[in-house]
Amino acid sequence: MKKKAISSLLSCSLLFSGALVSAQEQAQESSSVSGTIGLGALIINSGNNLNPKGSEERLDNLQSGADRETTVIPPILVNAVWDVGEAEGMKLYLSTTPPIDEVGGFTIDMGGSYRLPEVGIFEGSFFVSPFAKVYENPYLVGVNRIETDTTKFGAQVGLNRIMGSGLRVKFIYLNDDVDDDVIGALEPTLARDGSVYVLNMNYSFYPTDTLEIRPRAGVHFGDYDGQANSYTKYKLSLEARYTLDKLMIVPRAYYSHSDYDEQHPVFDQTRENIGYGISLMTTYMAPFNFKNWSTTALVSLSKGDSNIDFFDTEALTIGGFINYRF
């Protein structure tokens, strides 16, 4: 089932992976194989009744959002690129960046890109989220809820730098299959097996040599076996990247609105959700003159407001990382 707001771990993965990519783009040296690996820690304080990492196993009632839980995780995130042949030709890459909210946290994304003269850069990849979990029945009260795996995988294709401009367009497909969907068996309108289709667009503006502004827009269609879980979501975000000597600052804000297709049988209402959040990430290159190293700090705050209190979410995340570029 789709989380009503971006999960904390997903937000951090997106933010941190963005830092690694930006650091890599600023590198002055090039080689056939390049990339960045980062080690660090995340402190996540979140509440989400649908997420086993953001809620308690036992619920007393279904009339309120989840009590916030705090977790500390030591993530290892990797981005690598391999030039195949000419520098402007085929490139293969490995990334841990989740392509959309619904994928979850840690993701393995493998693909490639190829520059088409006077057209743009074609990109395609396959991805899988190997550690995603949900509750078998998230609406149980008075007994412990049981976790189950959910298999999430998909593909994405896109065109980057269209006709030499800053425009990017991407289409993403996600397949979602819950291993033991107890609630789906009890209430077919809440079945959680299904697919998500996404169209994303963004454009980069460069007011100065050191400042990039990138607005983004996307539309998500969730087509699940249970119509109460199927939805249409619109998402807008604005990101800036400012570089000053060795320091890179990346603020970001987003807003989303989701409408679900049918009435939820547990709450006798049709779900609607508004999600919003802000984040700030800073990366410092070559600390103590260590040429291939960088440090990253981030803080993010996100919130999801639903017309059904049970689906309200919130998350505060603080993280710090040490990155090595090879």
Side-chain angles (χ1 to χ4, degrees), residues 16-308:
F16 183 44
S17 298
L20 300 184
V21 172
S22 298
Q24 182 178 330
E25 290 174 349
Q26 292 186 7
Q28 299 299 314
E29 300 178 355
S30 62
S31 61
S32 59
V33 178
S34 61
T36 311
I37 184 169
L39 302 175
L42 299 172
I43 301 174
I44 304 169
N45 182 248
S46 65
N48 185 333
N49 275 321
L50 301 182
N51 185 354
K53 294 184 179 298
S55 61
E56 296 181 354
E57 293 180 348
R58 182 185 294 260
L59 297 178
D60 295 328
N61 62 76
L62 300 178
Q63 281 69 55
S64 61
D67 294 331
R68 292 170 64 160
E69 302 288 324
T70 299
T71 58
V72 179
I73 60 174
I76 301 176
L77 300 177
V78 178
N79 285 276
V81 178
W82 175 30
D83 288 341
V84 181
E86 299 179 359
E88 297 298 320
M90 174 70 74
K91 294 183 180 180
L92 303 179
Y93 66 83
L94 169 67
S95 173
T96 55
T97 305
I100 53 175
D101 306 347
E102 292 86 348
V103 173
F106 181 79
T107 304
I108 300 173
D109 186 12
M110 296 180 291
S113 65
Y114 187 80
R115 181 179 294 276
L116 302 172
E118 301 182 0
V119 176
I121 302 174
F122 174 80
E123 299 176 339
S125 71
F126 297 93
F127 59 85
V128 61
S129 180
F131 306 123
K133 291 183 179 295
V134 295
Y135 286 117
E136 292 181 354
N137 182 350
Y139 308 109
L140 290 177
V141 175
V143 296
N144 286 348
R145 297 179 293 175
I146 300 174
E147 296 181 15
T148 185
D149 295 328
T150 176
T151 303
K152 296 185 177 184
F153 63 90
Q156 55 182 332
V157 294
L159 195 59
N160 193 354
R161 302 290 182 180
I162 297 174
M163 299 182 68
S165 71
L167 178 63
R168 305 169 182 85
V169 177
K170 182 177 292 185
F171 175 78
I172 303 164
Y173 167 78
L174 168 68
N175 183 83
D176 194 353
D177 184 9
V178 177
D179 285 1
D180 193 0
D181 188 15
V182 173
I183 187 60
L186 295 174
E187 290 283 355
T189 58
L190 293 178
R192 291 174 287 179
D193 292 346
S195 302
V196 180
Y197 306 88
V198 180
L199 178 63
N200 278 339
M201 294 181 290
N202 66 78
Y203 196 98
S204 291
F205 298 92
Y206 297 91
T208 68
D209 291 340
T210 59
L211 176 62
E212 176 189 0
I213 298 175
R214 185 181 297 186
R216 306 173 187 264
V219 57
H220 302 221
F221 299 99
D223 182 16
Y224 285 85
D225 292 347
Q227 290 303 303
N229 286 327
S230 298
Y231 61 88
T232 301
K233 179 174 76 173
Y234 302 95
K235 183 176 180 180
L236 300 174
S237 66
L238 182 63
E239 179 183 299
R241 299 187 184 194
Y242 179 68
T243 305
L244 179 64
D245 193 18
K246 294 182 178 181
L247 184 66
M248 181 176 63
I249 303 172
V250 183
R252 181 174 179 262
Y254 77 89
Y255 171 87
S256 66
H257 185 276
S258 303
D259 290 312
Y260 287 76
D261 291 355
E262 288 189 4
Q263 180 174 287
H264 197 291
V266 175
F267 301 100
D268 296 326
Q269 296 184 64
T270 301
R271 294 168 60 186
E272 296 181 9
N273 187 78
I274 293 174
Y276 49 92
I278 57 175
S279 64
L280 179 64
M281 176 183 64
T282 60
T283 298
Y284 187 76
M285 310 292 179
F288 306 107
N289 293 321
F290 293 160
K291 184 176 181 180
N292 294 322
W293 294 83
S294 64
T295 60
T296 297
L298 68 88
V299 58
S300 72
L301 177 65
S302 63
K303 189 172 179 62
D305 290 330
S306 175
N307 62 323
I308 302 173

